[in-house]
Amino acid sequence: MLTSNEGEMEQMGDEFMEAILYVNGVRKVLPDGLAHMTLLEYLRGLGLTGTKLGCGEGGCGACTVMVSNYDRTSNKCVHYAVNACLAPLYSVEGMHVISIEGVGHRKHGLHPLQVMFFFLF
């Protein structure tokens, strides 16, 4: 088995393993042919409409999601705020994406911060 750099697919014989990512804790297989798609378009296609398209330039923050990745150098999980409207879908391959729905949801219970906002506003 040949192992390539982090974030790339591994090759086993003549076959390639599937490109995957995790969205709100759920494993998703990324099909071929979506190189034109942004992370935002993919999330909204999954029905996760809490992540919005505002300015489309990464300035307003309406499309912000959290992306987590394991850093082998520091042996820690690192978290990044990513503008989903600018991020190509395959740039988060192998990573965990948390949208606003993954923080808390009225069907599954709100996060304490969401409850606080509810009572403040």
Side-chain angles (χ1 to χ4, degrees):
M1 176 168 69
L2 298 174
T3 303
S4 58
N5 293 333
E6 185 176 333
E8 296 179 7
M9 290 190 283
E10 296 179 0
Q11 181 179 358
M12 296 180 64
D14 292 332
E15 298 181 24
F16 284 95
M17 295 178 65
E18 297 171 321
I20 62 162
L21 79 115
Y22 294 86
V23 178
N24 299 331
V26 179
R27 183 179 189 264
K28 301 287 183 181
V29 176
L30 297 176
D32 291 336
L34 299 180
H36 65 282
M37 187 174 278
T38 64
L39 177 57
L40 175 66
E41 293 168 328
Y42 180 75
L43 292 174
R44 293 187 64 82
L46 294 176
L48 301 173
T49 57
T51 306
K52 309 289 187 199
L53 176 61
C55 66
E57 297 176 351
C60 70
C63 65
T64 303
V65 296
M66 182 176 77
V67 175
S68 301
N69 190 23
Y70 182 74
D71 182 16
R72 294 179 185 179
T73 306
S74 65
N75 289 327
K76 293 181 180 180
C77 188
V78 292
H79 310 284
Y80 304 95
V82 172
N83 292 324
C85 71
L86 298 178
L89 176 58
Y90 293 118
S91 70
V92 295
E93 190 269 323
M95 299 180 188
H96 190 170
V97 177
I98 303 287
S99 69
I100 191 63
E101 290 90 353
V103 174
H105 195 273
R106 64 181 173 178
K107 291 181 184 177
H108 307 292
L110 297 176
H111 187 276
L113 288 175
Q114 291 172 312
V115 173
M116 180 80 71
F117 279 117
F118 175 76
F119 288 112
L120 290 175
F121 302 101

